[in-house]
Amino acid sequence: MSSPIILFGIELAAELNAATAARAAALPFTPTLATVLVGDDPGSAKYVAMKQRRCAQYGLGSRHVRLASDTSTAELIAVLIDLGADPDVHGILLQHPLPPQIDERAAYDAIPLRKDVDGTSSAAFAAAALGQPGHRSCTPAGIVRLLDHYRVELAGADVVIVGRSAILGKPLAAMLTARDATVTVCHSRTRDLATHTSRAEILVAAAGRPGLITAAMVRSGAVVVDAGFTPGDVSEEAAEVARAASPVPGGVGPMTIAMLLAQTVDAAQAVVGSR
Ligand code: NAP
C-alpha cells in the first residue's frame, strides 16, 4: 500500500498566520488577546506562554492575567467581565483546565460572545451547532480547515470522533454535522470502540489516550486525524493503513493556535466595522 498523504497542519497554519499578520497590520490599532490562567499547572502555563509568543510573532498584542489556584468562581467571573468591558482587549482566552472549585461553565459563559475567540461559551457552541456566524472552538475549527485544505469531502462522509469534550469532540460533531457529514461520537462508555472506528471514512481521535487507535481499528483508505498531543492517540501502524493522516506534532496543534489568532483579528475587525 502507498504511504498516506500527510495532513501538514504546520504548513497550513503558517499560511493562515501570514494572512492573519497582514490583517492585523492593516488595523488602526493592535488587536489584543487577553489570556487568563488560574493556578500554576506547568503545562497550562507553557501553552499560555506559547500563545503569547505567537501573538507577538504575528503582530498581535497580548495581555496576561494570572490568578491564584484558590480563586473563586465569582472572582474569576469579575476578571472576565472587566476584560469583556475593556475596549483595548479584543479576544479573551480562559486556559483549560480550571481548578475543581471553579464552575467552569459559568466562567466560560462570562466571556462576551464577540470576544470569545476560543469559542468556549455556550453561546458560541450554539452558534456552531446552528451554523450561525461567530467564533468557533479553535481545535475543531482547525481540524475542519485542515480537512477542507486537503479537499477531504465532508458531505455524506461517515465520520467517527473518539472523544466528546466540550472543547473538542462535541463542537467538532456539531460543525461536521452542519457540513452534512454523518457523525458518530464515541467516548469512554462506548461499547466495542473498534466496531465504530473501523467503518469510519474520516476518523478523528480526540481522547488523549496515546496509542488508543491501533491499525485494526482503522478502515483501509480512511482519513485519520489525530488531535492528541505527543505521542498522539493514533499508533504509527494505524496511520499507515490510512489514505491520509495528520502527524503529531505538526498536525492539529499548530492549527489550533492559528485559528485563535485569526479569530482574535476577526474580533478586532468587527470592532472597526461597528464604528
Ligand atoms: P478530555 O476533556 O479529557 O476528553 C477526552 C474524551 O475522550 C472524553 O470524551 C472521554 O470520554 C474520551 N475517552 C477517554 N478515554 C477513552 C477511551 N479509552 N475510549 C474512548 N473514548 C475515550 O480531553 P480534550 O480536552 O477533549 O482533549 C482530547 C485530546 O486532544 C488530548 O490529547 C488533548 O491533549 C488534545 N488536545 C489537543 C489540542 C491541540 O491544539 N492539539 C487542543 C485541545 C486538546 P468520557 O467523556 O466518557 O470521559
Side-chain angles (χ1 to χ4, degrees), residues 104-266:
E104 196 172 290
R105 200 37 36 212
Y108 283 122
D109 288 349
I111 301 172
L113 188 56
R114 68 186 187 286
K115 295 192 182 185
D116 182 18
V117 293
D118 201 26
T120 47
S121 63
S122 304
F125 181 83
L130 296 170
Q132 292 170 346
H135 306 302
R136 301 292 189 242
S137 186
C138 291
T139 304
I143 291 171
V144 173
R145 194 80 173 234
L146 190 60
L147 292 171
D148 281 342
H149 179 76
Y150 282 93
R151 300 181 194 284
V152 176
E153 180 68 45
L154 298 178
D158 203 342
V159 179
V160 174
I161 302 170
V162 184
R164 60 172 166 181
S165 74
I167 60 151
L168 220 172
K170 281 193 183 113
L172 180 62
M175 288 179 210
L176 291 174
T177 303
R179 292 286 302 275
D180 298 326
T182 302
V183 182
T184 302
V185 180
C186 300
H187 45 78
S188 67
R189 303 292 298 275
T190 297
R191 263 183 280 122
D192 197 0
L193 184 62
T195 313
H196 298 280
T197 60
S198 57
R199 63 172 171 69
E201 291 167 307
I202 302 172
L203 174 61
V204 181
R209 297 282 180 273
L212 174 69
I213 307 298
T214 61
M217 295 166 80
V218 176
R219 171 174 167 165
S220 175
V223 173
V224 179
V225 176
D226 190 342
F229 281 123
T230 315
D233 286 0
V234 179
S235 73
E236 247 172 65
E237 302 72 42
E240 287 299 315
V241 178
R243 167 167 70 86
S246 71
V248 178
V252 172
M255 289 303 297
T256 298
I257 297 191
M259 292 310 304
L260 177 69
L261 301 187
Q263 294 195 134
T264 301
V265 174
D266 291 344

